[in-house]
mmCIF file of all heavy atoms in Angstrom:
data_model
loop_
_atom_site.group_PDB
_atom_site.id
_atom_site.type_symbol
_atom_site.label_atom_id
_atom_site.label_comp_id
_atom_site.label_asym_id
_atom_site.label_seq_id
_atom_site.Cartn_x
_atom_site.Cartn_y
_atom_site.Cartn_z
ATOM 1 N N PRO A 386 192.777 102.818 77.986
ATOM 2 C CA PRO A 386 193.405 102.785 76.647
ATOM 3 C C PRO A 386 194.674 103.646 76.702
ATOM 4 O O PRO A 386 194.831 104.572 77.555
ATOM 5 C CB PRO A 386 192.343 103.459 75.786
ATOM 6 C CG PRO A 386 191.086 103.161 76.494
ATOM 7 C CD PRO A 386 191.423 103.175 77.962
ATOM 8 N N GLU A 387 195.637 103.333 75.719
ATOM 9 C CA GLU A 387 196.906 104.007 75.785
ATOM 10 C C GLU A 387 196.801 105.508 75.689
ATOM 11 O O GLU A 387 197.572 106.239 76.388
ATOM 12 C CB GLU A 387 197.721 103.447 74.562
ATOM 13 C CG GLU A 387 199.228 103.956 74.552
ATOM 14 C CD GLU A 387 199.973 103.531 75.758
ATOM 15 O OE1 GLU A 387 199.649 102.429 76.269
ATOM 16 O OE2 GLU A 387 200.918 104.317 76.175
ATOM 17 N N ALA A 388 195.845 106.044 74.864
ATOM 18 C CA ALA A 388 195.663 107.451 74.718
ATOM 19 C C ALA A 388 195.309 108.108 76.184
ATOM 20 O O ALA A 388 195.660 109.210 76.444
ATOM 21 C CB ALA A 388 194.676 107.719 73.674
ATOM 22 N N GLU A 389 194.542 107.337 76.897
ATOM 23 C CA GLU A 389 194.000 107.911 78.121
ATOM 24 C C GLU A 389 195.049 107.760 79.220
ATOM 25 O O GLU A 389 194.904 108.415 80.281
ATOM 26 C CB GLU A 389 192.733 107.225 78.540
ATOM 27 C CG GLU A 389 191.566 107.574 77.534
ATOM 28 C CD GLU A 389 190.209 106.948 78.046
ATOM 29 O OE1 GLU A 389 190.166 106.392 79.165
ATOM 30 O OE2 GLU A 389 189.255 107.116 77.268
ATOM 31 N N SER A 390 195.989 106.843 79.092
ATOM 32 C CA SER A 390 197.037 106.729 80.097
ATOM 33 C C SER A 390 198.291 107.431 79.701
ATOM 34 O O SER A 390 199.355 107.194 80.271
ATOM 35 C CB SER A 390 197.342 105.177 80.336
ATOM 36 O OG SER A 390 197.840 104.590 79.154
ATOM 37 N N SER A 391 198.236 108.270 78.720
ATOM 38 C CA SER A 391 199.393 109.055 78.231
ATOM 39 C C SER A 391 199.689 110.060 79.380
ATOM 40 O O SER A 391 198.877 110.404 80.147
ATOM 41 C CB SER A 391 199.112 109.798 76.945
ATOM 42 O OG SER A 391 198.158 110.774 77.178
ATOM 43 N N LEU A 392 200.987 110.449 79.398
ATOM 44 C CA LEU A 392 201.419 111.469 80.394
ATOM 45 C C LEU A 392 200.656 112.769 80.344
ATOM 46 O O LEU A 392 200.334 113.378 81.391
ATOM 47 C CB LEU A 392 202.920 111.682 80.268
ATOM 48 C CG LEU A 392 203.832 110.588 80.647
ATOM 49 C CD1 LEU A 392 205.296 110.984 80.535
ATOM 50 C CD2 LEU A 392 203.627 110.153 82.182
ATOM 51 N N GLY A 393 200.302 113.182 79.099
ATOM 52 C CA GLY A 393 199.602 114.458 79.012
ATOM 53 C C GLY A 393 198.157 114.338 79.590
ATOM 54 O O GLY A 393 197.746 115.293 80.280
ATOM 55 N N GLU A 394 197.525 113.232 79.453
ATOM 56 C CA GLU A 394 196.243 113.036 79.948
ATOM 57 C C GLU A 394 196.270 112.958 81.431
ATOM 58 O O GLU A 394 195.459 113.378 82.234
ATOM 59 C CB GLU A 394 195.494 111.851 79.335
ATOM 60 C CG GLU A 394 194.122 111.448 79.854
ATOM 61 C CD GLU A 394 193.081 112.506 79.515
ATOM 62 O OE1 GLU A 394 193.379 113.518 78.798
ATOM 63 O OE2 GLU A 394 191.905 112.335 79.925
ATOM 64 N N LEU A 395 197.221 112.160 81.918
ATOM 65 C CA LEU A 395 197.379 112.004 83.388
ATOM 66 C C LEU A 395 197.764 113.260 84.095
ATOM 67 O O LEU A 395 197.283 113.564 85.194
ATOM 68 C CB LEU A 395 198.459 110.940 83.628
ATOM 69 C CG LEU A 395 198.158 109.466 83.201
ATOM 70 C CD1 LEU A 395 199.351 108.562 83.413
ATOM 71 C CD2 LEU A 395 196.885 108.936 83.923
ATOM 72 N N ALA A 396 198.536 114.133 83.407
ATOM 73 C CA ALA A 396 198.933 115.420 83.973
ATOM 74 C C ALA A 396 197.611 116.245 84.074
ATOM 75 O O ALA A 396 197.423 116.993 85.067
ATOM 76 C CB ALA A 396 199.889 116.149 83.101
ATOM 77 N N ARG A 397 196.737 116.125 83.126
ATOM 78 C CA ARG A 397 195.412 116.941 83.154
ATOM 79 C C ARG A 397 194.598 116.460 84.371
ATOM 80 O O ARG A 397 194.036 117.322 85.126
ATOM 81 C CB ARG A 397 194.656 116.746 81.921
ATOM 82 C CG ARG A 397 193.332 117.463 81.850
ATOM 83 C CD ARG A 397 192.592 117.168 80.555
ATOM 84 N NE ARG A 397 191.941 115.938 80.536
ATOM 85 C CZ ARG A 397 190.669 115.749 80.920
ATOM 86 N NH1 ARG A 397 189.950 116.676 81.453
ATOM 87 N NH2 ARG A 397 190.197 114.508 80.843
ATOM 88 N N VAL A 398 194.604 115.171 84.670
ATOM 89 C CA VAL A 398 193.875 114.689 85.789
ATOM 90 C C VAL A 398 194.469 115.146 87.115
ATOM 91 O O VAL A 398 193.801 115.552 88.075
ATOM 92 C CB VAL A 398 193.705 113.187 85.773
ATOM 93 C CG1 VAL A 398 192.922 112.659 86.915
ATOM 94 C CG2 VAL A 398 193.049 112.759 84.388
ATOM 95 N N ILE A 399 195.816 115.036 87.219
ATOM 96 C CA ILE A 399 196.531 115.466 88.417
ATOM 97 C C ILE A 399 196.264 116.828 88.759
ATOM 98 O O ILE A 399 196.072 117.192 89.945
ATOM 99 C CB ILE A 399 198.028 115.147 88.256
ATOM 100 C CG1 ILE A 399 198.253 113.611 88.234
ATOM 101 C CG2 ILE A 399 198.812 115.794 89.339
ATOM 102 C CD1 ILE A 399 199.678 113.201 87.901
ATOM 103 N N THR A 400 196.210 117.708 87.775
ATOM 104 C CA THR A 400 195.911 119.135 88.024
ATOM 105 C C THR A 400 194.529 119.383 88.524
ATOM 106 O O THR A 400 194.311 120.478 89.098
ATOM 107 C CB THR A 400 196.185 120.070 86.791
ATOM 108 O OG1 THR A 400 195.402 119.581 85.807
ATOM 109 C CG2 THR A 400 197.650 119.956 86.320
ATOM 110 N N ALA A 401 193.688 118.446 88.445
ATOM 111 C CA ALA A 401 192.402 118.599 89.004
ATOM 112 C C ALA A 401 192.361 118.732 90.511
ATOM 113 O O ALA A 401 191.499 119.324 91.100
ATOM 114 C CB ALA A 401 191.414 117.468 88.583
ATOM 115 N N GLY A 402 193.466 118.165 91.104
ATOM 116 C CA GLY A 402 193.642 118.327 92.527
ATOM 117 C C GLY A 402 193.871 119.771 92.896
ATOM 118 O O GLY A 402 193.353 120.205 93.963
ATOM 119 N N ALA A 403 194.523 120.499 92.118
ATOM 120 C CA ALA A 403 194.712 121.891 92.280
ATOM 121 C C ALA A 403 193.401 122.687 92.132
ATOM 122 O O ALA A 403 193.134 123.669 92.760
ATOM 123 C CB ALA A 403 195.756 122.482 91.379
ATOM 124 N N CYS A 404 192.536 122.160 91.231
ATOM 125 C CA CYS A 404 191.214 122.809 90.972
ATOM 126 C C CYS A 404 190.323 122.765 92.171
ATOM 127 O O CYS A 404 189.665 123.668 92.587
ATOM 128 C CB CYS A 404 190.637 122.225 89.766
ATOM 129 S SG CYS A 404 191.415 122.619 88.207
ATOM 130 N N ILE A 405 190.302 121.509 92.851
ATOM 131 C CA ILE A 405 189.426 121.411 94.032
ATOM 132 C C ILE A 405 189.948 122.280 95.185
ATOM 133 O O ILE A 405 189.195 122.892 95.921
ATOM 134 C CB ILE A 405 189.244 119.965 94.425
ATOM 135 C CG1 ILE A 405 188.099 119.829 95.471
ATOM 136 C CG2 ILE A 405 190.512 119.361 94.966
ATOM 137 C CD1 ILE A 405 187.640 118.394 95.709
ATOM 138 N N GLU A 406 191.280 122.370 95.261
ATOM 139 C CA GLU A 406 191.855 123.357 96.275
ATOM 140 C C GLU A 406 191.402 124.753 95.928
ATOM 141 O O GLU A 406 191.142 125.623 96.860
ATOM 142 C CB GLU A 406 193.329 123.231 96.299
ATOM 143 C CG GLU A 406 193.884 121.915 96.898
ATOM 144 C CD GLU A 406 193.420 121.756 98.371
ATOM 145 O OE1 GLU A 406 193.452 122.767 99.097
ATOM 146 O OE2 GLU A 406 193.169 120.619 98.706
ATOM 147 N N ALA A 407 191.405 125.117 94.672
ATOM 148 C CA ALA A 407 190.899 126.444 94.239
ATOM 149 C C ALA A 407 189.491 126.597 94.555
ATOM 150 O O ALA A 407 189.021 127.725 94.887
ATOM 151 C CB ALA A 407 191.191 126.703 92.759
ATOM 152 N N SER A 408 188.661 125.515 94.479
ATOM 153 C CA SER A 408 187.280 125.689 94.880
ATOM 154 C C SER A 408 187.101 125.907 96.320
ATOM 155 O O SER A 408 186.297 126.702 96.816
ATOM 156 C CB SER A 408 186.562 124.334 94.496
ATOM 157 O OG SER A 408 186.408 124.173 93.097
ATOM 158 N N PHE A 409 187.964 125.264 97.194
ATOM 159 C CA PHE A 409 187.929 125.553 98.618
ATOM 160 C C PHE A 409 188.301 126.969 98.860
ATOM 161 O O PHE A 409 187.684 127.679 99.710
ATOM 162 C CB PHE A 409 188.857 124.652 99.298
ATOM 163 C CG PHE A 409 188.468 123.155 99.389
ATOM 164 C CD1 PHE A 409 189.397 122.174 99.299
ATOM 165 C CD2 PHE A 409 187.120 122.792 99.364
ATOM 166 C CE1 PHE A 409 189.100 120.895 99.398
ATOM 167 C CE2 PHE A 409 186.735 121.483 99.396
ATOM 168 C CZ PHE A 409 187.695 120.525 99.386
ATOM 169 N N LYS A 410 189.250 127.524 98.155
ATOM 170 C CA LYS A 410 189.722 128.875 98.331
ATOM 171 C C LYS A 410 188.571 129.886 97.970
ATOM 172 O O LYS A 410 188.348 130.872 98.646
ATOM 173 C CB LYS A 410 190.917 129.145 97.492
ATOM 174 C CG LYS A 410 191.513 130.511 97.763
ATOM 175 C CD LYS A 410 192.828 130.772 96.976
ATOM 176 C CE LYS A 410 193.304 132.166 97.182
ATOM 177 N NZ LYS A 410 194.587 132.401 96.395
ATOM 178 N N ARG A 411 187.887 129.575 96.837
ATOM 179 C CA ARG A 411 186.789 130.362 96.459
ATOM 180 C C ARG A 411 185.740 130.456 97.636
ATOM 181 O O ARG A 411 185.197 131.546 97.985
ATOM 182 C CB ARG A 411 186.096 129.828 95.222
ATOM 183 C CG ARG A 411 186.788 130.106 93.869
ATOM 184 C CD ARG A 411 186.081 129.328 92.798
ATOM 185 N NE ARG A 411 186.667 129.616 91.462
ATOM 186 C CZ ARG A 411 186.158 129.122 90.393
ATOM 187 N NH1 ARG A 411 185.306 128.108 90.435
ATOM 188 N NH2 ARG A 411 186.712 129.438 89.175
ATOM 189 N N GLY A 412 185.337 129.211 98.035
ATOM 190 C CA GLY A 412 184.266 129.168 99.095
ATOM 191 C C GLY A 412 184.660 129.916 100.382
ATOM 192 O O GLY A 412 183.837 130.620 100.983
ATOM 193 N N LYS A 413 185.941 129.746 100.771
ATOM 194 C CA LYS A 413 186.318 130.304 102.037
ATOM 195 C C LYS A 413 186.650 131.778 101.994
ATOM 196 O O LYS A 413 186.458 132.518 102.964
ATOM 197 C CB LYS A 413 187.486 129.493 102.646
ATOM 198 C CG LYS A 413 187.237 128.112 102.954
ATOM 199 C CD LYS A 413 188.388 127.290 103.453
ATOM 200 C CE LYS A 413 188.039 125.874 103.814
ATOM 201 N NZ LYS A 413 189.187 125.024 104.251
ATOM 202 N N SER A 414 187.154 132.206 100.838
ATOM 203 C CA SER A 414 187.519 133.610 100.664
ATOM 204 C C SER A 414 186.369 134.500 100.273
ATOM 205 O O SER A 414 186.304 135.663 100.654
ATOM 206 C CB SER A 414 188.660 133.711 99.646
ATOM 207 O OG SER A 414 189.785 132.964 99.996
ATOM 208 N N GLU A 415 185.382 133.896 99.478
ATOM 209 C CA GLU A 415 184.398 134.781 98.822
ATOM 210 C C GLU A 415 182.985 134.539 99.360
ATOM 211 O O GLU A 415 182.118 135.337 99.262
ATOM 212 C CB GLU A 415 184.417 134.585 97.305
ATOM 213 C CG GLU A 415 185.757 134.717 96.633
ATOM 214 C CD GLU A 415 186.352 136.107 96.915
ATOM 215 O OE1 GLU A 415 185.599 137.068 97.069
ATOM 216 O OE2 GLU A 415 187.629 136.232 96.835
ATOM 217 N N ALA A 416 182.724 133.383 99.990
ATOM 218 C CA ALA A 416 181.317 132.976 100.386
ATOM 219 C C ALA A 416 181.220 132.553 101.756
ATOM 220 O O ALA A 416 180.258 131.937 102.138
ATOM 221 C CB ALA A 416 180.837 131.944 99.331
ATOM 222 N N GLY A 417 182.231 132.810 102.673
ATOM 223 C CA GLY A 417 182.054 132.586 104.039
ATOM 224 C C GLY A 417 181.954 131.067 104.412
ATOM 225 O O GLY A 417 181.343 130.698 105.365
ATOM 226 N N MET A 418 182.526 130.234 103.552
ATOM 227 C CA MET A 418 182.416 128.762 103.750
ATOM 228 C C MET A 418 182.875 128.300 105.111
ATOM 229 O O MET A 418 182.373 127.346 105.697
ATOM 230 C CB MET A 418 183.134 128.011 102.560
ATOM 231 C CG MET A 418 183.029 126.531 102.561
ATOM 232 S SD MET A 418 183.893 125.866 101.139
ATOM 233 C CE MET A 418 183.809 124.126 101.414
ATOM 234 N N ASP A 419 183.939 128.913 105.661
ATOM 235 C CA ASP A 419 184.513 128.491 106.874
ATOM 236 C C ASP A 419 184.172 129.501 108.015
ATOM 237 O O ASP A 419 184.811 129.431 109.112
ATOM 238 C CB ASP A 419 186.000 128.445 106.718
ATOM 239 C CG ASP A 419 186.612 129.751 106.314
ATOM 240 O OD1 ASP A 419 185.941 130.659 105.833
ATOM 241 O OD2 ASP A 419 187.840 129.921 106.448
ATOM 242 N N GLU A 420 183.195 130.352 107.884
ATOM 243 C CA GLU A 420 183.001 131.384 108.906
ATOM 244 C C GLU A 420 181.633 131.126 109.672
ATOM 245 O O GLU A 420 181.101 132.055 110.281
ATOM 246 C CB GLU A 420 182.887 132.777 108.177
ATOM 247 C CG GLU A 420 184.217 133.165 107.602
ATOM 248 C CD GLU A 420 184.175 134.455 106.830
ATOM 249 O OE1 GLU A 420 183.058 135.022 106.806
ATOM 250 O OE2 GLU A 420 185.211 134.830 106.200
#
Side-chain angles (χ1 to χ4, degrees):
E387 186 63 29
E389 294 184 4
S390 60
S391 67
L392 287 181
E394 178 68 2
L395 294 174
R397 182 179 76 89
V398 182
I399 288 171
T400 57
C404 291
I405 192 170
E406 290 297 324
S408 291
F409 292 146
K410 184 177 180 180
R411 283 173 173 178
K413 295 178 180 181
S414 301
E415 308 301 334
M418 184 177 173
D419 59 343
E420 295 173 6

